[in-house]
Amino acid sequence: MKQPAAVVFDCDGVLLVSNTLKAAVFREALGEHGFHPEDIARFSRYQVANFGTSRYRLFEAFLGWEDLKSRPESADRDALVGSYARLLRGRYARCASTPGMRGVLDGLTTRGIPLFVVSGSDEAELRDVFAERGLAGLFRSIHGSPATKTENLHLVAREMGREPPLGNVWFIGDAEADLKAADAVGARFAYADHFSTAKPRMRALAAERGFPVIRDLRGLPALLDA
């Protein structure tokens, strides 16, 4: 196969083992503001099913539910986002990398393949964490929320001097939000399965749509060379 023009990575569950951590921190942020435990449990199920959606949109959706059992006055979207960011920050920088991540990224860089990150994580936070972990220099650019993944893939295209469809650009993700963003710009999609919080849904979509599945990033070089 022709060498890809670029590879774009989601972060959580693809580069970092952070999906379970983030789900816990979402619950902690709501608990800190005094939301009812049943509302928190319901939101957690929603958040896990919609992994890859930014915290801004997730909290907006939650606050828009009309049947919440409690609605603390202190908890608007920005307050929840602030609590979430504060609770997450130190733990995010210390969480594990996915198996073989650094070696795969180094190998792709050696091949001259441009690498990018497009994540639902807050952009400033993500860039700080990647710099702290010594990863920032491996990527041409790192993009996150509040912009959507589709908007950020359009930014990547412009940085490459291209316009969609991005037929020889791969987006590696672990959630349906990643697949939808790849579809929106005509990029190729590969599903990283091992740390996904939506395995049944994504495996069903892979069977239906025929996009490739890798267990983790160690399977990516062979996929790109197939």
Side-chain angles (χ1 to χ4, degrees):
M1 180 182 290
K2 180 182 177 182
Q3 177 156 299
V7 179
V8 184
F9 297 90
D10 175 46
C11 177
D12 300 313
V14 175
L15 297 172
L16 302 182
V17 184
S18 46
N19 286 350
T20 301
L21 166 64
K22 286 196 164 184
V25 173
F26 272 115
R27 294 192 295 271
E28 289 174 27
L30 292 177
E32 187 173 83
H33 284 271
F35 282 95
H36 193 281
E38 290 183 20
D39 292 333
I40 295 173
R42 178 183 167 200
F43 172 79
S44 187
R45 293 190 295 271
Y46 173 80
Q47 180 263 317
V48 167
N50 289 276
F51 222 103
T53 304
S54 79
R55 66 194 68 176
Y56 302 91
R57 289 168 179 79
L58 288 168
F59 284 134
E60 285 170 359
F62 173 71
L63 293 171
W65 293 349
E66 295 182 356
D67 57 347
L68 292 176
K69 294 183 179 298
S70 62
R71 196 175 290 274
E73 292 183 4
S74 66
D76 60 16
R77 185 203 71 171
D78 291 342
L80 290 172
V81 167
S83 293
Y84 176 85
R86 175 177 49 77
L87 291 164
L88 176 67
R89 182 62 181 85
R91 284 179 277 179
Y92 201 22
R94 298 191 302 270
C95 71
S97 302
T98 57
M101 178 269 279
R102 184 59 190 256
V104 170
L105 296 181
D106 286 341
L108 297 178
T109 300
T110 298
R111 292 172 58 176
I113 299 173
L115 308 180
F116 299 86
V117 174
V118 167
S119 170
S121 297
D122 179 82
E123 184 169 279
E125 173 186 272
L126 194 65
R127 290 174 176 177
D128 286 347
V129 166
F130 272 57
E132 187 172 336
R133 297 175 72 105
L135 298 172
L138 296 173
F139 300 98
R140 293 279 186 93
S141 60
I142 297 169
H143 300 284
S145 63
T148 68
K149 290 186 176 183
T150 298
E151 290 167 342
N152 282 329
L153 285 174
H154 278 282
L155 285 178
V156 167
R158 287 198 288 274
E159 290 169 18
M160 296 175 64
R162 299 181 59 178
E163 293 291 336
L166 304 179
N168 197 29
V169 172
W170 282 89
F171 187 24
I172 315 302
D174 69 334
E176 192 169 0
D178 303 319
L179 172 62
K180 289 179 177 178
D183 285 345
V185 298
R188 305 189 71 176
F189 178 74
Y191 164 55
D193 179 74
H194 185 47
F195 298 101
S196 174
T197 62
K199 288 183 173 69
R201 173 65 175 162
M202 293 305 296
R203 290 172 180 176
L205 284 169
E208 175 187 327
R209 295 275 305 275
F211 54 77
V213 177
I214 56 175
R215 177 173 171 80
D216 54 49
L217 291 184
R218 291 172 294 184
L220 182 58
L223 172 64
L224 298 180
D225 292 336

